[in-house]
Amino acid sequence: MNKVEYLIKTFSRTKRKDYENYILNAIWQKIDCLDLRPVTQQYVKGHDNEYYLIDLYFPQLNVGVEVDEAFHKNNVESDLKRELTIEEKLSSIREESLFELKRVDATLPLKELSERIAIISAEVKEKVAEKKITHWDTDVSVKDQVMEKGYLSVDDFYRFRVITDVANQLFFKNYKGYQQASIKITIDDRPAHVWFPTISTEDKKEHSQWLNYLNEDWSVIKEENIREDGKIVINEVGELRAVFARMKDSFGKFSYRFIGNFELKTISEDRKSCEYHKVSDRLYIDYENEKLSM
């Protein structure tokens, strides 16, 4: 998908909401920066583990825009009438991640509305200049972005289409293809794995042999063995895993995102279930020496 197609698809997602469509397009046109990538209808994970939608989001700035229409004022939950899938939840940004939200009251008279649009556009343009944004985030390799700041975070907006992308850009590999659900690595000189679990829910079992459940605040993963061949968990307490869970983006495409480093804390007596607890939100990557730390 080229950039023109991306922008058309992105802003066409608001075409059935007249006020929102007008305001978001007006803001985008006034910003007038083709190096800034917009995302519409972005999920946000709140402090109470509840999810909500914002109308426009700029991942390079961690800034969002919300249009408050008269209908929304009377129906705060109107955007999320259905239960989100786990893949949709995993596509969300965290409210606590220094996320900045700018609001526009769509019921303002035209003059005041235009002034508010101009203010928000100017503030976004100022942030673009401060951060010296010259490319879409998707035009720069994740490796280059991580190398520049030195670490990978759960709040990064990086999305990996396939497992080999994670392995090659983050973990010093040069795979042509990879089919397994984990990769052996070392973190802080401790044996570890990169893990790519498909998360199940009580309503949707995602695997015929292993089920992985993620709690609401993304701090615990429970793994259950439902195999019929007698194979049991062979891992030991204390094992570390850098976890990349499967998610679904705003266009319905699946990819993987980093959700933290987890440590194996408990194993059941029959060794058919275990729990991994999150121990850190960051993974520091030293590309020069090919070392990982938390």
Side-chain angles (χ1 to χ4, degrees), residues 64-86:
V65 178
E66 176 66 13
V67 177
D68 294 323
E69 300 179 44
F71 179 75
H72 285 163
K73 289 181 177 180
N74 297 322
N75 299 272
V76 177
E77 301 299 327
S78 61
D79 281 330
L80 292 179
K81 288 181 178 178
R82 62 178 176 81
E83 177 68 19
L84 300 184
T85 65
I86 186 63

Side-chain angles (χ1 to χ4, degrees), residues 51-63:
Y51 295 82
Y52 59 92
L53 276 172
I54 57 171
D55 298 314
L56 181 61
Y57 178 63
F58 300 109
Q60 293 148 285
L61 305 175
N62 203 18
V63 169

Side-chain angles (χ1 to χ4, degrees), residues 10-23:
T10 293
F11 285 102
S12 68
R13 300 180 74 212
T14 67
K15 64 184 179 182
R16 292 177 180 164
K17 300 179 179 180
D18 293 341
Y19 284 87
E20 179 184 317
N21 191 43
Y22 166 73
I23 291 169

Side-chain angles (χ1 to χ4, degrees), residues 7-192:
L7 292 172
I8 290 171
K9 286 179 178 292
T10 293
F11 285 102
S12 68
R13 300 180 74 212
T14 67
K15 64 184 179 182
R16 292 177 180 164
K17 300 179 179 180
D18 293 341
Y19 284 87
E20 179 184 317
N21 191 43
Y22 166 73
I23 291 169
L24 297 186
N25 276 279
I27 290 172
W28 174 246
Q29 294 301 323
K30 280 187 174 293
I31 292 172
D32 190 26
C33 177
L34 296 181
D35 295 322
L36 187 65
R37 183 171 69 92
V39 176
T40 53
Q41 302 297 296
Q42 172 64 48
Y43 292 113
V44 179
K45 185 174 185 287
H47 293 285
D48 54 2
N49 295 322
E50 295 294 324
Y51 295 82
Y52 59 92
L53 276 172
I54 57 171
D55 298 314
L56 181 61
Y57 178 63
F58 300 109
Q60 293 148 285
L61 305 175
N62 203 18
V63 169
V65 178
E66 176 66 13
V67 177
D68 294 323
E69 300 179 44
F71 179 75
H72 285 163
K73 289 181 177 180
N74 297 322
N75 299 272
V76 177
E77 301 299 327
S78 61
D79 281 330
L80 292 179
K81 288 181 178 178
R82 62 178 176 81
E83 177 68 19
L84 300 184
T85 65
I86 186 63
E87 291 90 357
E88 289 170 328
K89 289 180 178 180
L90 286 166
S91 74
S92 66
I93 57 174
R94 296 197 304 173
E95 192 177 64
E96 62 194 62
S97 64
L98 301 178
F99 164 62
E100 181 181 347
L101 183 62
K102 299 181 183 296
R103 311 193 79 96
V104 184
D105 184 351
T107 65
L108 289 171
L110 180 59
K111 185 174 184 297
E112 286 87 340
L113 179 59
S114 297
E115 290 172 350
R116 181 61 181 153
I117 289 171
I119 288 171
I120 290 177
S121 303
E123 290 173 346
V124 172
K125 290 182 74 170
E126 185 177 342
K127 286 185 174 291
V128 169
E130 287 175 0
K131 287 185 171 285
K132 300 179 179 178
I133 290 175
T134 58
H135 300 86
W136 278 20
D137 52 323
T138 51
D139 287 343
V140 182
S141 74
V142 173
K143 179 178 179 178
D144 288 342
Q145 295 178 67
V146 173
M147 191 180 297
E148 182 177 346
K149 66 178 184 178
Y151 63 86
L152 177 71
S153 167
V154 297
D155 293 318
D156 292 327
F157 209 71
Y158 308 141
R159 304 295 183 255
F160 302 89
R161 188 176 60 85
V162 292
I163 289 174
T164 51
D165 291 340
V166 178
N168 296 343
Q169 296 210 45
L170 300 177
F171 298 106
F172 327 123
K173 307 297 184 183
N174 190 28
Y175 293 151
K176 300 298 183 183
Y178 197 82
Q179 298 297 323
Q180 299 183 46
S182 69
I183 300 169
K184 290 183 179 180
I185 57 172
T186 300
I187 301 177
D188 291 322
D189 297 321
R190 294 168 59 184

Side-chain angles (χ1 to χ4, degrees), residues 111-284:
K111 185 174 184 297
E112 286 87 340
L113 179 59
S114 297
E115 290 172 350
R116 181 61 181 153
I117 289 171
I119 288 171
I120 290 177
S121 303
E123 290 173 346
V124 172
K125 290 182 74 170
E126 185 177 342
K127 286 185 174 291
V128 169
E130 287 175 0
K131 287 185 171 285
K132 300 179 179 178
I133 290 175
T134 58
H135 300 86
W136 278 20
D137 52 323
T138 51
D139 287 343
V140 182
S141 74
V142 173
K143 179 178 179 178
D144 288 342
Q145 295 178 67
V146 173
M147 191 180 297
E148 182 177 346
K149 66 178 184 178
Y151 63 86
L152 177 71
S153 167
V154 297
D155 293 318
D156 292 327
F157 209 71
Y158 308 141
R159 304 295 183 255
F160 302 89
R161 188 176 60 85
V162 292
I163 289 174
T164 51
D165 291 340
V166 178
N168 296 343
Q169 296 210 45
L170 300 177
F171 298 106
F172 327 123
K173 307 297 184 183
N174 190 28
Y175 293 151
K176 300 298 183 183
Y178 197 82
Q179 298 297 323
Q180 299 183 46
S182 69
I183 300 169
K184 290 183 179 180
I185 57 172
T186 300
I187 301 177
D188 291 322
D189 297 321
R190 294 168 59 184
H193 286 83
V194 188
W195 187 25
F196 303 90
T198 299
I199 305 300
S200 293
T201 65
E202 292 301 328
D203 298 326
K204 190 176 182 182
K205 314 299 183 185
E206 291 286 359
H207 204 283
S208 61
Q209 298 179 332
W210 304 90
L211 299 179
N212 302 295
Y213 297 99
L214 181 67
N215 70 340
E216 283 299 322
D217 65 1
W218 302 6
S219 64
V220 177
I221 299 174
K222 183 176 181 180
E223 184 179 46
E224 292 186 0
N225 179 355
I226 59 171
R227 298 174 68 110
E228 296 181 354
D229 59 7
K231 186 175 181 179
I232 59 174
V233 175
I234 58 174
N235 305 316
E236 299 300 331
V237 170
E239 178 189 296
L240 290 175
R241 293 195 175 190
V243 179
F244 292 77
R246 193 175 76 154
M247 52 146 281
K248 184 161 64 173
D249 68 16
S250 56
F251 296 117
K253 294 184 177 181
F254 288 100
S255 57
Y256 294 93
R257 71 169 292 182
F258 178 63
I259 62 169
N261 301 306
F262 288 71
E263 183 177 350
L264 180 54
K265 291 293 187 181
T266 62
I267 302 176
S268 64
E269 288 188 14
D270 62 5
R271 301 187 74 84
K272 286 197 170 184
S273 68
C274 57
E275 281 192 1
Y276 292 85
H277 291 211
K278 185 185 288 188
V279 291
S280 73
D281 282 336
R282 289 184 178 182
L283 182 65
Y284 291 86

